[in-house]
Amino acid sequence: MLDENAAIVQDDNQLETFRKQNHVDLILELHTEAWRTYYFLDFKHYDVWYYAKARLIDGRTGSAIRQAKCAHKPDKTVGMV
């Protein structure tokens, strides 16, 4: 179920405007930094590289409570056909 206060913003300025106008306690920001399809030189096997970051923001002050980056990098295993 989608929260009626949920929003998609394009940048930090829109996030700050949303924060000030909606008076929320917490904001969870998810941001994709990059992704691409990666082929293992034979076009039969592929994977996706994905890099993202997440921040939990105090809605009252705008400061980050926690932040983390994540990444998925493909590995071609030995014996992969």
Side-chain angles (χ1 to χ4, degrees):
M1 184 162 111
L2 184 62
D3 185 332
E4 63 188 34
N5 295 320
I8 296 174
V9 297
Q10 299 297 318
D11 56 33
D12 287 340
N13 292 333
Q14 286 184 358
L15 179 62
E16 185 65 11
T17 300
F18 174 83
R19 183 185 73 77
K20 288 179 178 177
Q21 290 176 350
N22 291 282
H23 308 289
V24 294
D25 292 328
L26 294 171
I27 299 169
L28 178 61
E29 177 190 44
L30 303 170
H31 174 77
T32 299
E33 292 185 327
W35 71 271
R36 68 179 173 145
T37 304
Y38 179 80
Y39 290 93
F40 293 108
L41 301 176
D42 61 7
F43 294 103
K44 293 179 185 175
H45 302 95
Y46 62 93
D47 207 333
V48 175
W49 289 47
Y50 181 76
Y51 300 92
K53 66 179 179 180
R55 289 193 303 169
L56 183 61
I57 301 168
D58 183 328
R60 296 165 295 200
T61 66
S63 61
I65 297 169
R66 293 279 189 260
Q67 58 188 15
K69 290 188 174 190
C70 70
H72 171 75
K73 299 176 186 177
D75 279 331
K76 185 173 181 181
T77 58
V78 177
M80 189 177 206
V81 183

Coordinates of all heavy atoms in Angstrom, one line a residue:
M1 N 0.8 -1.2 0.0 CA 0.0 0.0 0.0 C 0.9 1.2 0.0 O 1.8 1.4 0.8 CB -0.9 0.0 1.2 CG -1.9 1.1 1.3 SD -3.2 0.8 2.4 CE -2.8 1.9 3.7
L2 N 0.7 2.1 -0.9 CA 1.4 3.3 -1.0 C 0.9 4.4 -0.1 O -0.3 4.7 0.0 CB 1.4 3.9 -2.5 CG 2.2 5.1 -2.8 CD1 3.7 4.8 -2.6 CD2 1.9 5.5 -4.3
D3 N 1.8 5.0 0.7 CA 1.5 6.1 1.6 C 1.0 7.3 0.7 O 1.7 7.7 -0.2 CB 2.7 6.4 2.4 CG 2.4 7.4 3.5 OD1 1.5 8.3 3.3 OD2 3.1 7.4 4.5
E4 N 0.0 7.9 1.1 CA -0.5 9.1 0.4 C 0.4 10.3 0.5 O 0.3 11.2 -0.3 CB -1.9 9.5 0.9 CG -1.9 10.0 2.4 CD -3.3 10.2 3.0 OE1 -4.2 9.5 2.6 OE2 -3.4 11.1 3.8
N5 N 1.4 10.2 1.4 CA 2.4 11.3 1.5 C 3.7 11.0 0.8 O 4.6 11.8 0.8 CB 2.7 11.5 3.0 CG 1.6 12.1 3.8 OD1 0.8 12.9 3.3 ND2 1.4 11.5 5.0
A6 N 3.7 9.8 0.1 CA 4.9 9.5 -0.6 C 5.1 10.4 -1.8 O 4.2 10.9 -2.4 CB 4.8 8.0 -1.1
A7 N 6.4 10.6 -2.2 CA 6.7 11.5 -3.3 C 7.9 11.0 -4.0 O 8.8 10.4 -3.4 CB 6.8 12.9 -2.8
I8 N 8.0 11.3 -5.3 CA 9.2 11.1 -6.0 C 9.8 12.5 -6.3 O 9.1 13.3 -6.9 CB 8.9 10.3 -7.4 CG1 8.4 8.9 -7.0 CG2 10.2 10.2 -8.2 CD1 8.0 8.2 -8.3
V9 N 11.0 12.7 -6.0 CA 11.7 13.9 -6.2 C 12.9 13.8 -7.1 O 13.5 12.7 -7.2 CB 12.1 14.6 -4.9 CG1 10.9 14.9 -4.0 CG2 13.1 13.8 -4.1
Q10 N 13.3 14.8 -7.8 CA 14.4 14.7 -8.8 C 15.7 15.1 -8.2 O 16.7 14.7 -8.8 CB 14.0 15.7 -10.0 CG 12.8 15.3 -10.7 CD 12.9 13.9 -11.3 OE1 13.9 13.5 -11.9 NE2 11.8 13.1 -11.2
D11 N 15.8 15.9 -7.2 CA 17.0 16.4 -6.7 C 16.9 16.9 -5.2 O 15.8 16.8 -4.6 CB 17.6 17.5 -7.5 CG 16.6 18.7 -7.7 OD1 15.9 19.0 -6.7 OD2 16.7 19.4 -8.7
D12 N 18.0 17.3 -4.6 CA 18.0 17.7 -3.2 C 17.1 18.9 -3.0 O 16.6 19.0 -1.9 CB 19.4 18.0 -2.8 CG 20.3 16.7 -2.6 OD1 19.7 15.6 -2.5 OD2 21.5 16.8 -2.6
N13 N 17.0 19.8 -3.9 CA 16.1 21.0 -3.7 C 14.7 20.6 -3.6 O 14.0 21.1 -2.7 CB 16.3 22.0 -4.9 CG 17.6 22.6 -4.9 OD1 18.3 22.8 -3.9 ND2 18.1 23.1 -6.1
Q14 N 14.2 19.7 -4.4 CA 12.9 19.2 -4.3 C 12.6 18.4 -3.0 O 11.6 18.5 -2.4 CB 12.5 18.3 -5.5 CG 12.3 19.1 -6.8 CD 11.8 18.2 -7.9 OE1 11.7 16.9 -7.8 NE2 11.5 18.8 -9.1
L15 N 13.7 17.6 -2.6 CA 13.6 16.9 -1.4 C 13.4 17.8 -0.2 O 12.6 17.6 0.7 CB 14.8 16.0 -1.2 CG 14.8 15.2 0.1 CD1 13.7 14.2 0.2 CD2 16.2 14.4 0.2
E16 N 14.2 18.9 -0.2 CA 14.1 19.9 0.9 C 12.8 20.6 0.9 O 12.2 20.8 2.0 CB 15.3 20.9 0.7 CG 15.4 21.9 1.8 CD 15.7 21.3 3.2 OE1 16.1 20.1 3.3 OE2 15.6 22.0 4.2
T17 N 12.3 20.9 -0.3 CA 10.9 21.5 -0.3 C 9.9 20.6 0.2 O 9.0 21.0 1.0 CB 10.6 21.9 -1.8 OG1 11.6 22.9 -2.2 CG2 9.2 22.6 -1.9
F18 N 9.9 19.3 -0.2 CA 9.0 18.3 0.3 C 9.1 18.2 1.8 O 8.0 18.2 2.5 CB 9.3 17.0 -0.4 CG 8.4 15.8 0.2 CD1 7.1 15.6 -0.3 CD2 8.9 15.0 1.2 CE1 6.3 14.6 0.3 CE2 8.1 14.0 1.7 CZ 6.9 13.8 1.3
R19 N 10.3 18.1 2.3 CA 10.5 18.0 3.8 C 9.9 19.2 4.5 O 9.1 19.0 5.5 CB 12.0 17.9 4.1 CG 12.3 17.7 5.6 CD 13.8 17.8 5.8 NE 14.3 19.1 5.7 CZ 14.2 20.0 6.7 NH1 13.5 19.8 7.8 NH2 14.8 21.2 6.5
K20 N 10.1 20.4 4.1 CA 9.5 21.6 4.7 C 8.0 21.7 4.6 O 7.4 22.1 5.6 CB 10.2 22.8 4.2 CG 11.7 22.9 4.6 CD 12.3 24.2 4.0 CE 13.7 24.3 4.5 NZ 14.4 25.5 3.9
Q21 N 7.5 21.3 3.5 CA 6.0 21.4 3.3 C 5.2 20.3 4.0 O 4.1 20.5 4.3 CB 5.7 21.4 1.8 CG 6.2 22.7 1.1 CD 5.9 22.6 -0.4 OE1 5.5 21.6 -0.9 NE2 6.1 23.7 -1.1
N22 N 5.8 19.2 4.2 CA 5.0 18.0 4.7 C 5.2 17.7 6.2 O 4.5 16.9 6.7 CB 5.3 16.8 3.8 CG 4.7 17.0 2.4 OD1 3.5 16.9 2.3 ND2 5.5 17.4 1.5
H23 N 6.2 18.2 6.8 CA 6.5 18.0 8.2 C 6.4 16.5 8.6 O 5.7 16.1 9.5 CB 5.5 18.8 9.1 CG 5.4 20.2 8.7 ND1 6.4 21.1 9.0 CD2 4.5 20.9 8.0 CE1 6.1 22.3 8.5 NE2 4.9 22.2 7.9
V24 N 7.2 15.7 7.9 CA 7.3 14.3 8.2 C 8.5 14.0 9.2 O 9.4 14.8 9.3 CB 7.5 13.5 6.9 CG1 6.3 13.6 6.0 CG2 8.8 13.9 6.2
D25 N 8.4 12.9 9.9 CA 9.4 12.6 10.9 C 10.6 12.0 10.2 O 11.8 12.3 10.5 CB 8.9 11.6 11.9 CG 7.8 12.2 12.8 OD1 7.9 13.4 13.1 OD2 6.9 11.5 13.2
L26 N 10.4 11.0 9.3 CA 11.5 10.3 8.6 C 11.3 10.3 7.1 O 10.2 10.2 6.6 CB 11.6 8.9 9.1 CG 12.0 8.7 10.6 CD1 11.8 7.2 10.9 CD2 13.4 9.1 10.8
I27 N 12.4 10.4 6.4 CA 12.4 10.3 4.9 C 13.4 9.2 4.5 O 14.5 9.2 5.0 CB 12.8 11.6 4.3 CG1 11.8 12.7 4.7 CG2 12.9 11.4 2.8 CD1 12.3 14.1 4.3
L28 N 12.9 8.2 3.7 CA 13.8 7.2 3.2 C 14.1 7.6 1.7 O 13.2 7.6 0.9 CB 13.2 5.8 3.3 CG 14.1 4.7 2.7 CD1 15.4 4.6 3.4 CD2 13.3 3.4 2.7
E29 N 15.4 7.9 1.4 CA 15.8 8.3 0.1 C 16.5 7.1 -0.5 O 17.5 6.7 0.0 CB 16.6 9.5 0.1 CG 17.1 9.9 -1.3 CD 18.2 11.0 -1.2 OE1 19.1 10.9 -0.4 OE2 18.1 11.9 -2.0
L30 N 16.1 6.7 -1.7 CA 16.8 5.7 -2.5 C 17.2 6.3 -3.8 O 16.4 6.9 -4.5 CB 15.9 4.5 -2.7 CG 15.4 3.8 -1.5 CD1 14.3 2.8 -1.8 CD2 16.5 3.2 -0.7
H31 N 18.5 6.1 -4.2 CA 19.0 6.8 -5.4 C 19.9 5.8 -6.2 O 20.8 5.3 -5.6 CB 19.8 8.0 -5.0 CG 20.5 8.7 -6.1 ND1 19.9 9.5 -7.0 CD2 21.8 8.6 -6.5 CE1 20.8 9.9 -7.9 NE2 21.9 9.4 -7.6
T32 N 19.5 5.6 -7.4 CA 20.3 4.8 -8.3 C 21.4 5.6 -8.9 O 21.2 6.7 -9.5 CB 19.5 4.2 -9.4 OG1 18.4 3.4 -8.9 CG2 20.3 3.4 -10.4
E33 N 22.7 5.2 -8.7 CA 23.8 6.0 -9.2 C 24.2 5.5 -10.6 O 24.5 6.4 -11.4 CB 25.0 5.9 -8.3 CG 24.8 6.6 -6.9 CD 26.0 6.5 -6.1 OE1 26.8 5.6 -6.1 OE2 26.2 7.5 -5.3
A34 N 24.1 4.2 -10.8 CA 24.4 3.7 -12.2 C 23.9 2.3 -12.3 O 23.9 1.6 -11.3 CB 25.9 3.8 -12.4
W35 N 23.7 1.9 -13.5 CA 23.4 0.5 -13.8 C 23.6 0.2 -15.3 O 23.6 1.2 -16.1 CB 22.0 0.0 -13.4 CG 20.9 0.6 -14.3 CD1 20.2 1.8 -14.1 CD2 20.3 0.0 -15.4 NE1 19.3 1.9 -15.1 CE2 19.3 0.9 -15.9 CE3 20.6 -1.2 -16.1 CZ2 18.6 0.6 -17.1 CZ3 19.9 -1.5 -17.3 CH2 18.9 -0.6 -17.7
R36 N 24.0 -1.0 -15.6 CA 24.2 -1.3 -17.0 C 24.2 -2.8 -17.2 O 24.5 -3.6 -16.3 CB 25.5 -0.8 -17.6 CG 26.7 -1.4 -17.0 CD 28.0 -0.8 -17.5 NE 29.1 -1.3 -16.8 CZ 30.3 -1.6 -17.4 NH1 30.5 -1.3 -18.6 NH2 31.3 -2.0 -16.7
T37 N 23.9 -3.3 -18.4 CA 23.9 -4.7 -18.7 C 25.4 -5.0 -19.0 O 26.1 -4.3 -19.8 CB 23.0 -5.0 -19.9 OG1 21.7 -4.5 -19.6 CG2 23.0 -6.5 -20.2
Y38 N 25.8 -6.2 -18.5 CA 27.2 -6.6 -18.8 C 27.2 -8.0 -19.4 O 26.5 -8.9 -18.9 CB 27.9 -6.7 -17.4 CG 29.3 -7.2 -17.5 CD1 30.3 -6.3 -17.8 CD2 29.6 -8.5 -17.1 CE1 31.7 -6.8 -17.9 CE2 30.9 -8.9 -17.2 CZ 31.9 -8.1 -17.6 OH 33.2 -8.5 -17.6
Y39 N 27.8 -8.2 -20.5 CA 27.9 -9.5 -21.2 C 29.2 -10.1 -21.0 O 30.2 -9.4 -20.9 CB 27.7 -9.3 -22.7 CG 26.3 -8.9 -23.1 CD1 25.9 -7.6 -23.2 CD2 25.3 -9.9 -23.2 CE1 24.6 -7.3 -23.5 CE2 24.0 -9.6 -23.5 CZ 23.6 -8.3 -23.7 OH 22.3 -8.0 -24.0
F40 N 29.2 -11.4 -20.9 CA 30.5 -12.1 -20.6 C 31.1 -12.6 -21.9 O 31.5 -13.8 -22.1 CB 30.2 -13.3 -19.7 CG 29.8 -13.0 -18.3 CD1 28.5 -13.1 -17.9 CD2 30.7 -12.4 -17.4 CE1 28.1 -12.8 -16.6 CE2 30.3 -12.0 -16.2 CZ 29.0 -12.2 -15.8
L41 N 31.3 -11.7 -22.9 CA 32.0 -11.9 -24.1 C 31.3 -13.0 -25.1 O 31.9 -13.2 -26.1 CB 33.4 -12.3 -23.9 CG 34.2 -11.2 -23.1 CD1 35.6 -11.7 -22.9 CD2 34.3 -9.9 -23.8
D42 N 30.2 -13.5 -24.7 CA 29.6 -14.5 -25.6 C 28.2 -14.2 -25.9 O 27.5 -14.9 -26.7 CB 29.7 -15.9 -25.0 CG 29.0 -16.1 -23.7 OD1 28.3 -15.2 -23.3 OD2 29.2 -17.2 -23.1
F43 N 27.6 -13.1 -25.3 CA 26.2 -12.7 -25.6 C 25.2 -13.7 -25.2 O 24.0 -13.5 -25.4 CB 26.0 -12.2 -27.0 CG 26.8 -11.0 -27.3 CD1 28.0 -11.1 -28.0 CD2 26.4 -9.7 -26.8 CE1 28.8 -9.9 -28.3 CE2 27.2 -8.6 -27.1 CZ 28.4 -8.7 -27.8
K44 N 25.6 -14.8 -24.6 CA 24.6 -15.8 -24.1 C 24.4 -15.6 -22.6 O 23.4 -16.1 -22.0 CB 25.0 -17.2 -24.4 CG 25.0 -17.5 -25.9 CD 25.5 -18.9 -26.1 CE 25.6 -19.2 -27.6 NZ 26.1 -20.6 -27.8
H45 N 25.4 -15.1 -21.9 CA 25.4 -14.9 -20.5 C 25.6 -13.4 -20.2 O 26.5 -12.8 -20.7 CB 26.6 -15.7 -19.8 CG 26.5 -17.1 -20.1 ND1 27.2 -17.7 -21.2 CD2 25.7 -18.1 -19.6 CE1 26.9 -19.0 -21.2 NE2 26.0 -19.3 -20.3
Y46 N 24.7 -12.9 -19.3 CA 24.8 -11.5 -19.0 C 24.4 -11.3 -17.6 O 23.8 -12.2 -17.0 CB 24.0 -10.6 -19.9 CG 22.5 -10.9 -19.9 CD1 21.7 -10.2 -19.1 CD2 22.0 -11.9 -20.7 CE1 20.3 -10.5 -19.0 CE2 20.6 -12.2 -20.7 CZ 19.8 -11.5 -19.8 OH 18.5 -11.8 -19.8
D47 N 24.7 -10.1 -17.0 CA 24.3 -9.8 -15.7 C 24.1 -8.2 -15.7 O 24.4 -7.6 -16.7 CB 25.3 -10.2 -14.7 CG 24.7 -10.4 -13.3 OD1 23.6 -9.8 -13.0 OD2 25.2 -11.2 -12.5
V48 N 23.7 -7.7 -14.6 CA 23.5 -6.3 -14.5 C 24.4 -5.7 -13.4 O 24.4 -6.3 -12.3 CB 22.0 -6.0 -14.2 CG1 21.8 -4.5 -13.9 CG2 21.1 -6.5 -15.3
W49 N 25.1 -4.7 -13.7 CA 25.8 -3.9 -12.6 C 24.8 -2.9 -12.1 O 24.1 -2.3 -12.8 CB 27.0 -3.2 -13.2 CG 28.1 -4.0 -13.7 CD1 28.1 -5.1 -14.4 CD2 29.5 -3.7 -13.4 NE1 29.3 -5.6 -14.6 CE2 30.2 -4.8 -14.0 CE3 30.2 -2.7 -12.7 CZ2 31.6 -4.8 -14.0 CZ3 31.5 -2.8 -12.7 CH2 32.3 -3.8 -13.3
Y50 N 24.8 -2.8 -10.8 CA 23.9 -1.8 -10.2 C 24.5 -1.2 -9.0 O 25.1 -1.8 -8.1 CB 22.6 -2.6 -9.7 CG 21.6 -1.7 -9.1 CD1 20.8 -0.8 -9.9 CD2 21.4 -1.6 -7.7 CE1 19.8 0.0 -9.3 CE2 20.4 -0.8 -7.2 CZ 19.7 0.0 -8.0 OH 18.7 0.8 -7.4
Y51 N 24.5 0.2 -8.9 CA 25.1 0.9 -7.8 C 24.0 1.9 -7.3 O 23.4 2.6 -8.1 CB 26.3 1.8 -8.3 CG 27.4 0.9 -8.9 CD1 27.5 0.7 -10.2 CD2 28.4 0.4 -8.0 CE1 28.5 -0.1 -10.7 CE2 29.4 -0.3 -8.5 CZ 29.5 -0.6 -9.9 OH 30.5 -1.4 -10.4
A52 N 23.8 1.9 -6.0 CA 22.8 2.7 -5.4 C 23.2 3.2 -4.1 O 24.2 2.7 -3.5 CB 21.4 2.0 -5.3
K53 N 22.5 4.2 -3.6 CA 22.7 4.7 -2.2 C 21.4 4.9 -1.5 O 20.4 5.2 -2.2 CB 23.6 5.9 -2.2 CG 23.0 7.2 -2.7 CD 23.9 8.3 -2.6 CE 23.4 9.6 -3.2 NZ 24.3 10.7 -3.1
A54 N 21.4 4.8 -0.2 CA 20.2 5.0 0.5 C 20.5 5.9 1.7 O 21.6 5.8 2.3 CB 19.6 3.7 1.0
R55 N 19.6 6.8 2.1 CA 19.7 7.6 3.2 C 18.4 7.6 4.1 O 17.3 7.7 3.5 CB 20.0 9.1 2.9 CG 21.3 9.3 2.3 CD 21.7 10.8 2.2 NE 20.7 11.6 1.4 CZ 20.7 12.9 1.4 NH1 21.5 13.6 2.1 NH2 19.8 13.5 0.7
L56 N 18.6 7.5 5.3 CA 17.4 7.8 6.2 C 17.6 9.2 6.8 O 18.6 9.4 7.4 CB 17.4 6.7 7.4 CG 16.2 6.8 8.3 CD1 14.9 6.6 7.6 CD2 16.4 5.8 9.4
I57 N 16.7 10.0 6.6 CA 16.8 11.5 6.9 C 15.8 11.8 8.0 O 14.6 11.5 7.9 CB 16.5 12.3 5.6 CG1 17.5 11.9 4.5 CG2 16.6 13.8 5.9 CD1 17.2 12.5 3.2
D58 N 16.3 12.6 8.9 CA 15.4 13.2 10.0 C 14.6 14.3 9.3 O 15.1 15.3 8.8 CB 16.3 13.8 11.1 CG 15.4 14.3 12.2 OD1 14.3 14.8 12.0 OD2 15.9 14.2 13.4
G59 N 13.3 14.1 9.2 CA 12.4 15.0 8.5 C 12.3 16.4 9.2 O 12.0 17.4 8.5
R60 N 12.6 16.4 10.5 CA 12.5 17.7 11.2 C 13.7 18.6 10.9 O 13.6 19.8 10.8 CB 12.3 17.4 12.7 CG 11.0 16.7 13.0 CD 11.0 16.2 14.3 NE 12.0 15.1 14.3 CZ 12.1 14.1 15.2 NH1 11.2 14.1 16.2 NH2 13.0 13.2 15.1
T61 N 14.9 18.0 10.8 CA 16.1 18.8 10.7 C 16.7 18.7 9.3 O 17.6 19.5 8.9 CB 17.2 18.3 11.7 OG1 17.6 16.9 11.3 CG2 16.7 18.4 13.1
G62 N 16.4 17.6 8.5 CA 17.0 17.4 7.2 C 18.4 16.7 7.2 O 19.0 16.5 6.2
S63 N 18.8 16.3 8.4 CA 20.1 15.7 8.5 C 20.0 14.2 8.3 O 19.0 13.6 8.7 CB 20.8 16.0 9.9 OG 20.0 15.5 10.9
A64 N 21.1 13.6 7.8 CA 21.1 12.1 7.6 C 21.3 11.4 8.9 O 22.3 11.7 9.6 CB 22.1 11.8 6.5
I65 N 20.4 10.5 9.2 CA 20.6 9.6 10.4 C 21.5 8.5 10.0 O 22.5 8.2 10.8 CB 19.2 9.1 10.8 CG1 18.3 10.3 11.2 CG2 19.4 8.1 12.0 CD1 16.9 9.9 11.5
R66 N 21.3 7.8 8.9 CA 22.2 6.7 8.4 C 22.2 6.8 6.9 O 21.3 7.3 6.2 CB 21.6 5.4 8.8 CG 21.6 5.0 10.2 CD 23.0 4.5 10.6 NE 22.9 4.0 11.9 CZ 23.3 4.6 13.0 NH1 23.8 5.9 12.9 NH2 23.3 4.1 14.2
Q67 N 23.3 6.4 6.3 CA 23.4 6.3 4.9 C 24.3 5.1 4.5 O 25.2 4.7 5.3 CB 23.9 7.6 4.2 CG 25.2 8.1 4.7 CD 25.6 9.5 4.2 OE1 24.7 10.2 3.7 NE2 26.8 9.8 4.3
A68 N 24.0 4.5 3.3 CA 24.8 3.4 2.9 C 24.8 3.3 1.4 O 23.9 3.9 0.7 CB 24.3 2.1 3.5
K69 N 25.8 2.7 0.8 CA 25.9 2.4 -0.6 C 25.8 0.9 -0.8 O 26.2 0.1 0.0 CB 27.1 2.9 -1.2 CG 27.2 4.4 -1.3 CD 28.4 4.9 -2.1 CE 28.4 6.4 -2.3 NZ 29.4 6.8 -3.2
C70 N 25.2 0.5 -2.0 CA 25.2 -0.9 -2.3 C 25.6 -1.0 -3.8 O 25.4 -0.1 -4.5 CB 23.8 -1.5 -2.0 SG 22.5 -1.0 -3.1
A71 N 26.0 -2.2 -4.1 CA 26.4 -2.5 -5.4 C 26.2 -4.0 -5.7 O 26.4 -4.8 -4.9 CB 27.9 -2.1 -5.7
H72 N 25.9 -4.3 -7.0 CA 25.8 -5.6 -7.5 C 26.7 -5.7 -8.7 O 26.5 -4.9 -9.6 CB 24.4 -6.1 -7.9 CG 24.5 -7.4 -8.6 ND1 24.6 -8.6 -7.9 CD2 24.4 -7.7 -9.9 CE1 24.7 -9.6 -8.8 NE2 24.5 -9.0 -10.0
K73 N 27.8 -6.5 -8.6 CA 28.7 -6.6 -9.7 C 28.7 -8.1 -10.1 O 28.9 -8.9 -9.3 CB 30.1 -6.2 -9.2 CG 30.2 -4.8 -8.8 CD 31.6 -4.5 -8.3 CE 31.7 -3.1 -7.7 NZ 33.0 -2.8 -7.1
P74 N 28.5 -8.3 -11.4 CA 28.5 -9.7 -11.9 C 29.8 -10.4 -11.8 O 30.9 -9.8 -12.0 CB 28.0 -9.6 -13.3 CG 28.4 -8.2 -13.7 CD 28.4 -7.4 -12.5
D75 N 29.8 -11.7 -11.5 CA 31.0 -12.5 -11.5 C 30.7 -13.7 -12.4 O 29.7 -14.4 -12.2 CB 31.3 -13.1 -10.1 CG 32.0 -12.1 -9.2 OD1 32.7 -11.3 -9.8 OD2 31.8 -12.2 -8.0
K76 N 31.5 -13.9 -13.4 CA 31.4 -15.1 -14.2 C 32.1 -16.3 -13.5 O 33.3 -16.2 -13.2 CB 32.0 -14.9 -15.6 CG 31.7 -16.1 -16.5 CD 32.2 -15.9 -17.9 CE 31.9 -17.1 -18.8 NZ 32.3 -16.9 -20.1
T77 N 31.4 -17.3 -13.2 CA 32.0 -18.4 -12.4 C 32.7 -19.4 -13.4 O 32.3 -19.5 -14.6 CB 31.0 -19.2 -11.6 OG1 30.0 -19.6 -12.5 CG2 30.4 -18.3 -10.6
V78 N 33.7 -20.1 -12.9 CA 34.5 -21.0 -13.7 C 33.5 -22.2 -14.1 O 32.7 -22.6 -13.3 CB 35.7 -21.6 -12.9 CG1 36.4 -22.7 -13.7 CG2 36.6 -20.5 -12.5
G79 N 33.6 -22.6 -15.3 CA 32.7 -23.7 -15.8 C 31.3 -23.2 -16.2 O 30.5 -24.0 -16.6
M80 N 31.1 -21.9 -16.2 CA 29.8 -21.4 -16.7 C 29.7 -21.6 -18.2 O 30.6 -21.3 -19.0 CB 29.7 -19.9 -16.4 CG 28.4 -19.3 -16.6 SD 28.4 -17.6 -16.0 CE 26.7 -17.4 -15.7
V81 N 28.7 -22.2 -18.7 CA 28.5 -22.5 -20.1 C 27.6 -21.5 -20.7 O 26.7 -21.0 -20.2 CB 27.8 -23.9 -20.2 CG1 27.7 -24.2 -21.7 CG2 28.6 -24.9 -19.5

